[in-house]
């Protein structure tokens, strides 16, 4: 069993920055790959970023490139997403996810999910 604890989020003005963190506890192999997904009511959930926790190699979706940075701490159990130059369209509930399979996570599925943190960007 893997438990995911999300920290961060909140309200920020357009152009501001915000950080999200997610700490995984449990069997490390079950959270070999982690990621962030976001969802707005009426829209499908979309992938924001993924990262391999062992080596720290990450991926940022096109809309976040140049603005978002994915990383993990040295303990290889905590994933961080730094979001800068935030836009109103970035407003959503952000979910932390963990999986043992990268393909599964890439396809938008995961074995474990965080509770979700609200990010609200005002104009």
């Amino acid at each position: 069993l893997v438990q995911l604890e999300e920290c961060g989020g909140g309200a920020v003005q357009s152009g501001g920055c915000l950080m999200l963190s997610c700490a995984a506890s449990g069997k490390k192999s079950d959270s070999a790959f982690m990621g962030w997904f976001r969802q707005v009511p009426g829209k499908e959930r979309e992938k924001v970023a993924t990262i391999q926790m062992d080596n720290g190699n990450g991926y940022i979706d096109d809309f976040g490139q140049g603005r978002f940075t994915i990383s993990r701490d040295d303990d290889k159990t905590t994933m961080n997403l730094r979001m800068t130059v935030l836009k109103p369209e970035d407003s959503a509930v952000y979910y932390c996810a963990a999986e043992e399979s990268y393909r599964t996570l890439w396809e938008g599925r995961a074995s474990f999910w965080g509770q979700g943190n609200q990010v609200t960007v005002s104009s």
Side-chain angles (χ1 to χ4, degrees):
L1 178 67
V2 171
Q3 293 181 320
L4 302 175
E5 182 180 10
E6 297 185 24
C7 294
V12 67
Q13 293 185 351
S14 180
C17 63
L18 203 59
M19 177 171 282
L20 294 173
S21 296
C22 181
S25 60
K27 191 175 182 180
K28 288 188 176 181
S29 61
D30 287 343
S31 58
F33 301 93
M34 298 182 68
W36 290 100
F37 296 79
R38 67 186 187 185
Q39 188 167 31
V40 177
K43 295 184 178 181
E44 65 179 353
R45 186 178 61 209
E46 63 179 346
K47 180 163 67 261
V48 178
T50 61
I51 188 168
Q52 183 173 351
M53 298 301 287
D54 184 30
N55 57 28
N57 290 339
Y59 157 87
I60 295 290
D61 191 79
D62 289 345
F63 62 78
Q65 292 184 5
R67 301 188 299 127
F68 296 178
T69 302
I70 187 72
S71 64
R72 57 99 167 113
D73 289 353
D74 290 340
D75 60 15
K76 301 181 180 181
T77 62
T78 300
M79 170 185 64
N80 306 298
L81 180 68
R82 186 171 188 268
M83 301 180 288
T84 64
V85 197
L86 284 164
K87 308 173 182 179
E89 51 263 44
D90 292 320
S91 298
V93 176
Y94 284 71
Y95 295 92
C96 170
E99 248 292 332
E100 63 179 351
S101 168
Y102 181 73
R103 180 172 182 175
T104 300
L105 190 66
W106 180 262
E107 294 175 346
R109 294 177 287 111
S111 296
F112 307 98
W113 293 91
Q115 82 279 1
N117 281 7
Q118 177 71 49
V119 170
T120 302
V121 184
S122 60
S123 300

